[in-house]
């Protein structure tokens, strides 16, 4: 680092903004390839590792992480799940999707533990990660990028005490999540907001079952997802007009029990370790690159938790981008990096389409997606919804398609 007349400067090859799953995967892959990089995260390590979000990890994501020796925490400490249950007004319909994918289902591992493990691994090299530091400005030098997608950029960082540091680099990765602010011009956002919300919660209690449970009820959707032996995630569909203040722990447990068809709230006792509101927003940004600035993960696309695809996409973006940047910066080969948008966008839209379909399946069928409240009186829509779920049990080809897409397993040609 140099200091000239109070202006602090540093240079590196790649600045990565955000130490969520996307940023951490890019950073570790670049570091291993011998590319000098700086990972910048506005939160402290403790804050970062307390963010409970994802837990369902696709088969193909874990296989891809294995190729770069990053799957260790999931393989060593994670669980597996290959069975899900649809509960229609309390009546169970059990779907064994692993049986349709050659025994492959999801890996189950809490995102916060994965982030903690990856951060620990990456942080071993002093100076490579700057935590509690916010990227506040981004400037791409005139000319933006050479034809090969790397050029000159400057990122201004604000450190904890308020001091500014300017970092010059050849490429910037914005892996800064859904609230990304430093977007370069020329990137279009295509987005939509569904007219209802999910209340997301995590209870420190044993799961009700090994299975994921998706409950459809005339009062709305509820879900149960195993995360760890003493940690279970629940979702509850609520009106967009309701807030957290409308749902104290007692009401939350009672409503979950009702929609999940439980006899009592007993199994839902345990500390509510997280309670949050989720507006169901979806977005894709196109293209994923402007000059030498690249988007990855939620910064590039936002998806609802329906289908469990967000973190998977983030990791898959990161692996592709890191491979392209390494080939360019270490070997001087630019083809892969130049195709980053072209390679990732079809996969991103495929996941958006699947997740939108799954959201409809959860929340009362396609006719429910534009309603603010479930309509218990619409008998036609409810019967249609049941037919949509029952098709998974009567149409073998459809069931196989669903099982592969849900678990993230390539269908044999
Ligand atoms: C309740 C819930 C359940 C989910 N379940 C699943 C699931 O089962 N499976 C699945 O695949 N996905 C799931 N997801 C989605 C998944 O959590 C996200 O897609 C994933 O976190 C995206 O990772 P990311 O690295 O792109 O972004 P993030 O995890 O959001 O990380 C971005 C980071 O950038 C930092 N940052 C932002 N701006 C700046 C700045 N200017 N300077 C420095 N740092 C900055 C932020 O502090 C943050 O740490 C779920 C999400 C939620 C909310």
């Amino acid at each position: 680092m140099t200091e000239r007349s109070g202006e602090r400067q540093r240079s590196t090859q790649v600045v990565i903004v955000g130490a969520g799953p996307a940023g951490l995967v890019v950073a570790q892959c670049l570091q291993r390839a011998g590319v000098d990089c700086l990972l910048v995260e506005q939160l402290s390590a403790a804050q970062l590792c307390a963010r409970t979000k994802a837990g369902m990890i696709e088969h193909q994501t874990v296989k891809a992480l294995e190729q770069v020796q990053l799957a260790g925490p999931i393989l060593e400490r994670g669980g597996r799940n290959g069975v899900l249950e649809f509960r229609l007004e309390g009546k169970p319909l059990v779907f064994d999707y692993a049986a349709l994918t050659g025994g492959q289902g999801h890996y189950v591992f809490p995102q916060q533990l994965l982030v903690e493990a990856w951060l620990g691994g990456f942080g071993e090299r002093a100076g490579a990660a700057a935590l509690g530091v916010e990227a506040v400005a981004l400037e791409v030098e005139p000319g933006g990028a050479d034809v090969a997608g790397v050029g000159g950029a400057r990122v201004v960082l604000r450190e904890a005490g308020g001091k500014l540091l300017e970092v010059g680099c050849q490429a910037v990765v914005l892996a800064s999540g859904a609230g990304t602010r430093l977007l370069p011009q020329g990137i279009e956002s295509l987005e939509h907001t569904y007219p209802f919300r999910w209340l997301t919660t995590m209870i420190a209690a044993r799961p009700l079952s090994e299975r994921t449970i998706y409950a459809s009820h005339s009062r709305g959707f509820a879900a149960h997802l195993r995360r760890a032996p003493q940690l279970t995630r629940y979702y509850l569909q609520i009106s967009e007009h309701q807030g957290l203040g409308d749902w104290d722990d007692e009401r939350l447990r009672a409503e979950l029990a009702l929609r999940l068809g439980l006899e009592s709230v007993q199994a839902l006792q345990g500390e509510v370790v997280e309670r949050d509101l989720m507006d169901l927003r979806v977005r894709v940004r196109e293209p994923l690159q402007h000059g030498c600035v690249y988007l990855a993960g939620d910064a590039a696309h936002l998806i609802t938790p329906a289908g469990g695809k967000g973190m998977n996409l983030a990791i898959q973006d990161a692996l592709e981008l890191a491979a392209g940047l390494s080939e360019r910066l270490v070997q001087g080969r630019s083809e892969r990096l130049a195709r980053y948008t072209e390679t990732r966008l079809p996969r991103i839209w495929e996941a958006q389409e699947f997740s939108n379909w799954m959201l409809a399946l959860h929340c009362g069928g396609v006719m429910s997606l534009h309603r603010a409240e479930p309509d218990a009186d619409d008998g036609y829509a409810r019967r249609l919804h049941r037919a949509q779920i029952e098709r998974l049990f009567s149409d073998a080809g459809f069931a196989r398609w669903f099982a592969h897409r849900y678990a993230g397993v390539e269908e044999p040609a």
Side-chain angles (χ1 to χ4, degrees):
M1 188 159 68
T2 58
E3 198 151 349
R4 275 181 302 149
S5 58
E7 190 182 66
R8 299 163 71 243
Q9 295 180 322
R10 172 178 169 174
S11 66
T12 183
Q13 284 180 288
V14 181
V15 172
I16 302 149
V17 183
L24 279 164
V25 168
V26 174
Q28 290 172 103
C29 291
L30 291 183
Q31 191 183 62
R32 285 167 192 204
V35 175
D36 191 46
C37 57
L38 176 67
L39 176 65
V40 180
E41 168 58 52
Q42 64 192 2
L43 301 178
S44 66
Q47 289 168 324
L48 190 62
C49 301
R51 289 165 79 225
T52 59
K53 290 170 109 183
M56 283 169 50
I57 312 179
E58 291 179 343
H59 174 76
Q60 64 189 356
T61 302
V62 177
K63 291 290 136 202
L65 286 170
E66 268 187 295
Q67 305 272 317
V68 291
Q69 289 85 49
L70 287 178
I74 306 167
L75 296 174
E76 288 153 24
R77 291 153 54 202
R80 301 297 305 264
N81 186 21
V83 181
L84 72 84
E85 179 181 324
F86 294 98
R87 248 177 225 185
L88 286 173
E89 307 292 333
K91 180 173 170 268
L93 288 168
V94 177
F95 187 80
D96 184 349
Y97 59 97
L100 299 173
T101 54
Q104 310 298 346
H106 284 101
Y107 289 81
V108 181
F109 193 57
Q111 176 171 336
Q112 70 275 20
L113 298 185
L114 192 57
V115 164
E116 186 179 44
W118 282 344
L119 191 63
F122 182 72
E124 280 161 18
R125 196 169 65 96
L131 300 182
V133 171
E134 187 189 4
V136 290
L138 165 62
E139 199 178 290
V140 178
E141 285 172 10
D146 63 23
V147 285
V150 295
R154 292 179 320 120
V155 183
V156 179
L157 308 178
R158 185 167 43 222
E159 295 173 329
K163 271 190 164 179
L164 297 182
L165 170 67
E166 186 185 296
V167 185
C169 58
Q170 290 172 271
V172 179
V173 175
L174 291 179
S176 34
T180 291
R181 287 186 303 275
L182 304 175
L183 280 179
Q185 287 178 348
I187 293 185
E188 188 188 6
S189 284
L190 305 169
E191 47 189 89
H192 177 76
T193 303
Y194 295 99
F196 48 87
R197 288 174 152 178
W198 283 5
L199 200 160
T200 68
T201 187
M202 194 78 94
I203 300 184
R206 279 194 324 167
L208 304 173
S209 146
E210 291 285 291
R211 302 170 189 156
T212 296
I213 303 171
Y214 297 130
S216 304
H217 193 278
S218 54
R219 293 167 68 96
F221 169 69
H224 154 279
L225 298 103
R226 175 166 56 93
R227 287 293 195 243
Q230 286 295 332
L231 200 59
T232 310
R233 179 168 282 300
Y234 293 92
Y235 297 135
L236 198 65
Q237 178 185 354
I238 61 169
S239 150
E240 64 176 341
H241 306 297
Q242 291 179 340
L244 282 180
D246 297 308
W247 291 91
D248 61 21
D249 291 355
E250 201 182 334
R251 182 177 178 204
L252 174 64
R253 288 194 179 93
E255 191 66 21
L256 281 171
L258 180 73
R259 295 191 197 175
L260 287 163
L262 309 180
E263 281 175 6
S264 78
V265 294
Q266 193 53 39
L268 301 173
Q269 296 304 335
E271 189 193 349
V272 174
V273 289
E274 181 232 276
R275 231 147 62 78
D276 215 345
L277 277 184
M278 176 177 278
D279 286 321
L280 296 175
R281 270 186 302 137
V282 284
R283 175 195 306 134
V284 178
R285 293 199 161 117
E286 296 186 356
L288 305 179
Q289 172 202 4
H290 180 78
C292 58
V293 181
Y294 296 84
L295 306 184
D298 280 10
H301 40 73
L302 189 58
I303 197 163
T304 78
K309 299 296 178 200
M311 182 172 77
N312 286 283
L313 283 179
I315 292 172
Q316 291 158 16
D317 290 349
L319 290 168
E320 182 59 32
L321 181 56
L325 283 168
S326 305
E327 284 184 16
R328 171 65 186 84
L329 292 167
V330 178
Q331 298 154 21
R333 298 205 329 259
S334 58
E335 299 81 5
R336 190 163 183 176
L337 184 59
R339 285 199 311 270
Y340 174 59
T341 292
E342 195 187 316
T343 304
R344 290 303 301 152
L345 270 187
R347 293 294 187 172
I348 291 164
W349 278 110
E350 207 175 89
Q352 290 280 343
E353 189 278 329
F354 180 76
S355 178
N356 173 278
W357 177 85
M358 195 94 191
L359 186 67
L361 200 72
H362 290 335
C363 297
V366 284
M367 296 168 86
S368 66
L369 281 185
H370 305 290
R371 279 188 188 140
E373 313 271 353
D375 183 353
D377 295 332
D378 189 343
Y380 179 84
R382 287 176 58 204
R383 190 62 193 85
L384 186 67
H385 178 224
R386 168 177 284 273
Q388 284 165 347
I389 292 178
E390 284 174 346
R391 187 172 161 215
L392 284 170
F393 297 85
S394 61
D395 178 337
F398 183 56
R400 211 170 31 254
W401 168 83
F402 170 74
H404 283 82
R405 294 289 294 279
Y406 182 60
V409 179
E410 283 293 326
E411 263 197 274

